[in-house]
Amino acid sequence: MSANLCKKGNHSDHEENIQHEIRIILIGKTGLGKSSLGNSICGSREKNVPFKAAASSSSVTQTSECAYRDYNGCKLCVIDTAGFCDTKQLNEIVIAQLKKGFQLASPGPHAFLIIVNGRCTDEHIGILALLQKIFGKQALKHCIIVITRENALRNDDDDQLSDAELIDRYFNEAPQSLLDLVTNIQKRCILIENRAEYEIREQKITHLVDMIKTIEKENGYYTNQMFIEAEMQWKQWEKDEIERQELDREKRKENLRKQIRQENRSREEALQQEEQMYEELRHEEECLKREIRKSALGNLILGYQKFKTGAGAGSVTRECESSSIVFNNRNITVIDTPGWFDTKLSNEDISKALTDSYYEAAPGPHAFLIVTAGRYTTEAEDTLIFLERLFGSSVVDYCIVVITHEDDLRDDDKTLDEYLGDSTSQLRCFVNKCGGRCTAVNSKTKDSDERKTKLTELLGCIDNIFRKKQTSYYTHELFERAAQDEAEQRQKEEERVRREWGEEEIRTEIFQWFAGE
Ligand SMILES: Nc1nc2c(ncn2[C@@H]2O[C@H](COP(=O)(O)OP(=O)(O)OP(=O)(O)O)[C@@H](O)[C@H]2O)c(=O)[nH]1
Ligand SMILES: [Mg+2]
């Protein structure tokens, strides 16, 4: 076996030997032993011949170089390439270096040797993918994996292990995707120790050359045409990739636009909801601010300003007052009472004022007008509870609900029924309890015709009560009965409390007896 070494950057001197050439390109990450392998293939006995190999923090081989060896009647053309650091970052320099290596292997390499060592990782996939990207799928048919630093892989008791067994063990830990790739390249893999004795290395090179010859027999060499096609595919892939990225960017932009529009819409909706909420609150506050206008209603019925009216925090009327008129040949007496929800009067004061008003209406009132501003509160319900306690449950038969803000209803373009429909359930329930007797008036109207119409309507309503009841008015008898009921109720309550207290005392005594006190 002869080792006729020659290093050159141009192959023209050897054109006559082209048909006997085996062209090999070495590809791999920096520092894995490409140049050292190149030296092993060239059968060098000396260090750094023909390629410079050294442990270094930066790439030793900076450009693609070519060296020859006469080997068993054929010429081995070995092309060493500059190593790269990251298979994921394919930069222009790496591609240019590999292309230059490819040119040196003109008319085309028989084999791409992929140099790896260390542990079997995803990096191996990276380098095969890189080969495929630059040289196309066809390149895989010419690819051989070379694992350098064999000695580091062999444990002390691995002496008996064949290369094939060691390679199998090496790929045992490999990720499935790498195994698939290795199978795809028909498990072409060589183990070599570049620092081993010359003879040992030569055995490996014989095995390598045999493997390359098999590839040559099956697939010839990797041609320039294949490279051109791969380059076109690569360019197409790049173009597609740019388009895909562009499309992706557009999609993301559109999604972002949609998201912003959606957010704006949600914000608008939230603002609208907030606005609506404020509007409702404002309306509620306005309603709460409304005066009940009880005295104003009294004045409207009378047709003149008898009762003192006015807006203010508290009720103007402190005691009951009465006045009479004649309307349509009927004697009408109106008794105004203090309001009990917007005054500082105690419950006793109000009870007294109401009892007074009752005596004022002797022999008894034909109707109790429950005057409300139609507030969104429990005011009306509370009023009824108060009245029932004082005048008994039959008082509801004589109650008429009067909403004193008819002008507001008109402004809102609402009928009384619509207004009640939109109001609180308490107000509706209250009106129902009063037999559905409810009317709305504008107690501040100056229009005498409107006053007459309303008064006629009100009297009609009172007449209806009369028609239903045996007694046309709330009689003294009813009042007495209510007072009696109230007294009985109070007595029962006192007895219950007394009884419970007594039982409690007995229990305490028994407990103390048991405790021996
Ligand atoms: N033990 C051992 N060391 C090796 C082997 N192959 C290479 N080396 C050492 O690894 C270091 C780098 O080797 P090179 O051949 O220069 O590696 P390279 O891939 O050409 O590196 P760059 O040219 O920088 O990309 C040198 O010190 C070599 O002696 C091997 O099989 N076994
Ligand atoms: Mg090198």
Side-chain angles (χ1 to χ4, degrees):
M1 208 172 284
S2 61
N4 179 11
L5 301 184
C6 166
K7 184 174 177 182
K8 65 165 202 117
N10 188 320
H11 66 91
S12 58
D13 302 342
H14 296 263
E15 258 166 15
E16 68 276 14
N17 293 323
I18 275 175
Q19 46 274 59
H20 310 294
E21 240 181 27
I22 291 180
R23 295 172 295 276
I24 305 163
I25 298 184
L26 312 179
I27 299 176
K29 279 179 75 177
T30 186
L32 297 190
K34 286 184 302 301
S35 301
S36 303
L37 175 67
N39 293 339
S40 295
I41 296 171
C42 288
S44 168
R45 288 178 185 270
E46 298 166 49
K47 261 187 167 185
N48 289 333
V49 177
F51 302 110
K52 190 181 173 207
S56 168
S57 56
S58 58
S59 288
V60 176
T61 311
Q62 295 287 331
T63 180
S64 295
E65 290 174 14
C66 176
Y68 290 92
R69 175 188 182 181
D70 289 330
Y71 186 84
N72 284 349
C74 68
K75 244 177 186 67
L76 299 183
C77 168
V78 183
I79 294 127
D80 188 15
T81 58
F84 44 88
C85 295
D86 194 348
T87 49
K88 284 182 192 119
Q89 279 181 348
L90 238 195
N91 59 44
E92 291 300 318
I93 301 166
V94 174
I95 296 171
Q97 281 298 331
L98 290 175
K99 277 184 184 172
K100 195 183 169 210
F102 175 69
Q103 280 163 7
L104 289 174
S106 176
H110 294 85
F112 295 95
L113 302 194
I114 305 296
I115 322 305
V116 298
N117 69 31
R119 299 189 64 195
C120 193
T121 64
D122 282 347
E123 274 295 334
H124 295 23
I125 306 173
I127 191 162
L128 284 168
L130 178 122
L131 179 82
Q132 201 177 321
K133 256 186 197 167
I134 300 173
F135 296 104
K137 255 198 172 147
Q138 287 291 334
L140 291 179
K141 289 186 182 167
H142 299 267
C143 161
I144 298 171
I145 294 177
V146 181
I147 307 169
T148 57
R149 297 175 199 257
E150 180 185 350
N151 287 354
L153 279 184
R154 282 194 188 272
N155 302 325
D156 293 342
D157 48 355
D158 281 346
D159 283 349
Q160 300 306 312
L161 272 187
S162 69
D163 280 14
E165 284 168 329
L166 203 60
I167 288 167
D168 275 351
R169 192 177 71 185
Y170 181 78
F171 285 113
N172 246 351
E173 322 158 358
Q176 186 57 44
S177 42
L178 177 61
L179 283 182
D180 292 347
L181 269 171
V182 173
T183 314
N184 198 21
I185 60 169
Q186 294 170 8
K187 294 191 176 165
R188 284 187 300 268
C189 184
I190 296 273
L191 266 177
I192 192 162
E193 173 54 56
N194 288 318
R195 287 190 181 172
E197 299 290 314
Y198 173 78
E199 284 73 23
I200 298 174
R201 282 190 281 139
E202 280 296 282
Q203 283 175 20
K204 302 282 181 171
I205 300 309
T206 308
H207 182 40
L208 176 70
V209 172
D210 286 348
M211 208 179 256
I212 297 172
K213 279 184 176 167
T214 312
I215 293 176
E216 187 185 16
K217 219 186 266 172
E218 286 172 5
N219 306 313
Y221 61 86
Y222 176 88
T223 63
N224 202 34
Q225 184 57 33
M226 290 174 189
F227 180 67
I228 291 167
E229 277 167 23
E231 213 171 24
M232 272 160 58
Q233 271 176 5
W234 167 255
K235 279 191 182 135
Q236 185 59 41
W237 179 86
E238 268 186 332
K239 214 174 128 209
D240 292 350
E241 185 61 14
I242 289 168
E243 274 174 22
R244 196 190 58 76
Q245 280 177 6
E246 193 66 33
L247 223 75
D248 203 47
R249 212 173 18 251
E250 274 307 312
K251 247 187 218 163
R252 269 187 292 144
K253 260 201 246 167
E254 186 51 39
N255 281 347
L256 203 70
R257 256 184 242 126
K258 263 188 205 161
Q259 200 181 322
I260 291 169
R261 271 201 295 269
Q262 182 65 35
E263 274 170 17
N264 281 346
R265 212 173 299 142
S266 315
R267 211 172 299 139
E268 246 170 55
E269 274 169 18
L271 276 174
Q272 267 174 10
Q273 270 177 6
E274 216 172 294
E275 188 76 5
Q276 202 176 326
M277 222 167 69
Y278 280 132
E279 188 51 42
E280 277 168 16
L281 276 174
R282 248 197 314 271
H283 186 61
E284 214 165 290
E285 271 172 20
E286 259 171 34
C287 287
L288 283 169
K289 269 190 235 147
R290 279 182 193 165
E291 322 145 72
I292 294 181
R293 297 189 191 167
K294 197 158 23 64
S295 300
L297 175 67
N299 290 338
L300 180 77
I301 295 171
L302 293 172
Y304 62 92
Q305 297 294 311
K306 161 72 186 168
F307 308 120
K308 207 171 159 200
T309 60
S315 177
V316 176
T317 311
R318 313 286 296 182
E319 289 176 337
C320 73
E321 274 184 281
S322 70
S323 190
S324 302
I325 51 153
V326 174
F327 180 78
N328 287 352
N329 297 323
R330 297 175 82 171
N331 201 15
I332 300 173
T333 301
V334 182
I335 300 141
D336 191 17
T337 60
W340 48 82
F341 294 110
D342 49 358
T343 66
K344 291 187 180 79
L345 296 180
S346 67
N347 281 358
E348 282 70 32
D349 290 338
I350 294 163
S351 297
K352 186 182 169 298
L354 283 175
T355 312
D356 289 351
S357 73
Y358 166 74
Y359 286 118
E360 196 82 31
H366 288 84
F368 293 83
L369 302 189
I370 314 292
V371 188
T372 171
R375 290 171 177 175
Y376 292 84
T377 64
T378 57
E379 167 202 286
E381 206 182 21
D382 294 342
T383 304
L384 194 62
I385 293 169
F386 209 97
L387 278 180
E388 279 182 325
R389 200 177 300 154
L390 200 63
F391 295 109
S393 57
S394 56
V395 76
V396 289
D397 296 337
Y398 300 88
C399 286
I400 299 171
V401 182
V402 183
I403 297 167
T404 48
H405 289 255
E406 196 193 19
D407 39 340
D408 286 352
L409 266 67
R410 256 184 258 141
D411 285 350
D412 290 348
D413 238 355
K414 274 184 183 168
T415 63
L416 180 60
D417 281 346
E418 282 168 348
Y419 177 79
L420 287 175
D422 291 346
S423 69
T424 57
S425 57
Q426 285 101 329
L427 183 61
R428 282 199 301 275
C429 184
F430 177 59
V431 171
N432 282 343
K433 263 192 171 178
C434 297
R437 289 179 295 276
C438 178
T439 184
V441 299
N442 173 10
S443 51
K444 287 199 165 168
T445 185
K446 300 274 180 278
D447 183 339
S448 64
D449 287 343
E450 190 181 337
R451 171 189 166 253
K452 278 178 197 159
T453 314
K454 280 291 160 188
L455 198 47
T456 313
E457 194 184 303
L458 208 54
L459 289 174
C461 193
I462 294 169
D463 288 341
N464 275 341
I465 297 176
F466 169 64
R467 259 180 234 118
K468 275 194 198 152
K469 307 296 296 179
Q470 285 174 337
T471 49
S472 64
Y473 57 88
Y474 177 88
T475 61
H476 189 65
E477 195 191 333
L478 288 172
F479 182 63
E480 289 280 278
R481 200 185 303 152
Q484 210 175 321
D485 285 351
E486 168 77 5
E488 276 173 16
Q489 194 64 33
R490 203 176 305 132
Q491 199 180 341
K492 271 187 197 160
E493 186 62 19
E494 278 171 14
E495 273 170 17
R496 188 185 62 79
V497 171
R498 221 175 294 130
R499 203 171 45 246
E500 276 181 10
W501 265 99
E503 277 172 16
E504 186 59 35
E505 268 168 29
I506 292 165
R507 259 202 298 273
T508 315
E509 260 178 45
I510 293 171
F511 180 77
Q512 284 171 350
W513 185 78
F514 268 117
E517 288 176 12

